[in-house]
Amino acid sequence: MDTALHTVDPELYFTDERFRSLFDVLPVAVHEIDAFGLVVRVNEAECNLLGYQADEMVGRPVWHFVAPEQQEISHRSLLRKISGKQPLVPFERQYMHRDGRMLTFQVHDAHIRNGAGIIIGIRSVLLDVTERHEYAARLAEKAEELERSNAELEQFAYVASHDLQEPLRMVASYTQLLARRYKDRLDRDAMEYIDFAVDGAKRMQQLIQDLLAFSRVGRRGRDFEPADADLALRQALTNLEVQIAERQAVITHDLLPTVVADDVQLAQVFQNLIGNGLKYCETAPRIHVGARDENSSWHFWVQDNGIGIDSQYSERVFQVFQRLHTREEYPGTGIGLAICKKVVERHGGRIWFGCNPEGGATFHFTILKQAR
Ligand code: ADP
């Protein structure tokens, strides 16, 4: 039966006029092969894609049009499919255009059977996914590049801030020593200048420490494990004990879930947000921590009754060292929210704020349920 196929005029396979016209008009590539893998019929769309005339393809083994390194595997798997030993599932295969260009096709096969139900060939529909592949490859390359440059930047920030610490410590301690030793011999102006120098050095130390903390989020982060958000909140409140007592703040919270997270970093986010709620408030602070299940993620929020923030600063406040107030108004260096953003993004979430109608700000963040 199989051998007879070669002597049969391929036209005879077209038993149905509707099939013939569909075959010709289809904008996707379609071909048929016989039991030996020889092309029996190929439509115009496929000829155009591969740069051949139909009569140049008919009668040749179909794997001749496949990329050289995939010809062998294509040959073997076709023979297995024709013998019915391999199931027909969609797959991807690289074909080579006449001019040498590689094209990636998603191939969907179906058996061709004779009247007795015996497999006498295969009909394949080929979808050109070359562009999608190239796009995905470019995207992956860009992502890798970004990751690399991000890691380099983090490394740079870490090394720079780490190495700056030592000389700065010297500047700070020697100016302080100068002030102590020569107090009696220096006039008021000189003492004032020394104070400025010490103050500047201390501020720089604080900035460097903040930068180090920021660069540690990605470098020194722990693995994600089930973490009780309630415990993380407790840890944050313990660290803020003094400020809470001083400000006579009232802090309430919903029942908090267990999330897959780095618990130390989660506590750090709570601490920074609640710390800000305490700091940017002119009355007795009332802060509420809420949580809601949102299918693929957990949504947390920290609501305060403080001075609030204008929505025009929705991007700026999350940037490193960006502040909306002077140090005289409210102390700080502008790193807290940048750290929160980095932690949240490391957990596949996002962070934003809104203004409460009754005053104050609410900071929201999400944590993906399935860690990436
Ligand atoms: P810092 O508090 O050290 O300035 P942050 O990164 O934590 O650094 O905050 C950045 C800026 O965002 C602050 O300077 C402040 O102007 C504003 N901000 C942050 N939290 C609040 C809040 N709860 N209410 C009002 N303003 C806030």
Side-chain angles (χ1 to χ4, degrees), residues 9-177:
D9 180 354
E11 282 299 311
L12 288 180
Y13 285 122
F14 278 136
T15 50
D16 185 339
E17 173 53 30
R18 282 178 302 175
F19 172 66
R20 179 206 293 267
S21 73
L22 182 66
F23 187 85
D24 288 340
V25 80
L26 267 180
V28 290
V30 187
H31 65 236
E32 291 182 345
I33 56 166
D34 67 10
F36 295 99
L38 304 181
V39 178
V40 173
R41 181 172 295 113
V42 53
N43 76 349
E44 204 180 318
E46 182 162 336
C47 291
N48 289 340
L49 273 172
L50 293 177
Y52 291 97
Q53 301 290 332
D55 58 8
E56 292 175 299
M57 294 184 74
V58 169
R60 288 176 65 188
V62 70
W63 50 87
H64 280 190
F65 303 97
V66 166
E69 65 279 10
Q70 293 188 4
Q71 285 186 2
E72 173 77 25
I73 185 168
S74 164
H75 181 181
R76 267 187 283 125
S77 89
L78 265 176
L79 295 184
R80 275 202 307 273
K81 283 176 195 167
I82 288 166
S83 66
K85 287 187 191 139
Q86 186 172 320
L88 304 186
V89 285
F91 62 100
E92 284 186 358
R93 176 85 70 228
Q94 279 208 309
Y95 277 66
M96 192 161 76
H97 187 277
R98 179 179 220 135
D99 66 12
R101 258 183 306 127
M102 292 302 167
L103 299 165
T104 307
F105 288 133
Q106 192 178 72
V107 185
H108 298 254
D109 290 331
H111 286 133
I112 306 172
R113 295 173 189 272
N114 66 10
I118 294 170
I119 301 169
I120 55 168
I122 287 185
R123 179 174 302 126
S124 305
V125 176
L126 295 86
L127 299 179
D128 184 4
V129 293
T130 313
E131 239 175 67
R132 202 201 307 164
H133 260 245
E134 285 171 359
Y135 182 69
R138 272 204 303 276
L139 210 66
E141 210 175 291
K142 279 269 172 284
E144 206 176 291
E145 221 174 273
L146 262 178
E147 216 164 279
R148 206 173 32 240
S149 78
N150 204 16
E152 274 169 17
L153 266 177
E154 253 176 27
Q155 178 70 7
F156 171 76
Y158 178 77
V159 171
S161 39
H162 188 265
D163 291 0
L164 279 173
Q165 273 185 319
E166 189 44 41
L168 197 60
R169 233 192 315 266
M170 277 180 72
V171 174
S173 50
Y174 277 98
T175 25
Q176 279 169 309
L177 194 67

Side-chain angles (χ1 to χ4, degrees), residues 245-291:
E246 268 175 12
R247 300 295 315 271
Q248 298 188 327
V250 178
I251 304 193
T252 54
H253 65 90
D254 293 349
L255 210 63
L256 300 187
T258 292
V259 293
V260 180
D262 175 332
D263 56 346
V264 175
Q265 292 189 344
L266 182 62
Q268 196 173 14
V269 172
F270 281 135
Q271 183 174 332
N272 290 357
L273 296 182
I274 297 170
N276 280 348
L278 296 169
K279 181 163 61 171
Y280 298 104
C281 185
E282 296 297 341
T283 55
R286 300 181 70 86
I287 296 171
H288 181 77
V289 181

Side-chain angles (χ1 to χ4, degrees), residues 276 279-280 304 308-309 317 322-325 332-334 336-337:
N276 280 348
K279 181 163 61 171
Y280 298 104
D304 66 42
I309 322 178
V317 291
Q322 290 293 328
R323 311 198 66 224
L324 306 181
H325 301 94
T333 55
L337 290 179

Side-chain angles (χ1 to χ4, degrees), residues 322-335:
Q322 290 293 328
R323 311 198 66 224
L324 306 181
H325 301 94
T326 62
R327 273 179 300 119
E328 287 68 37
E329 289 172 305
Y330 297 99
T333 55
I335 200 82

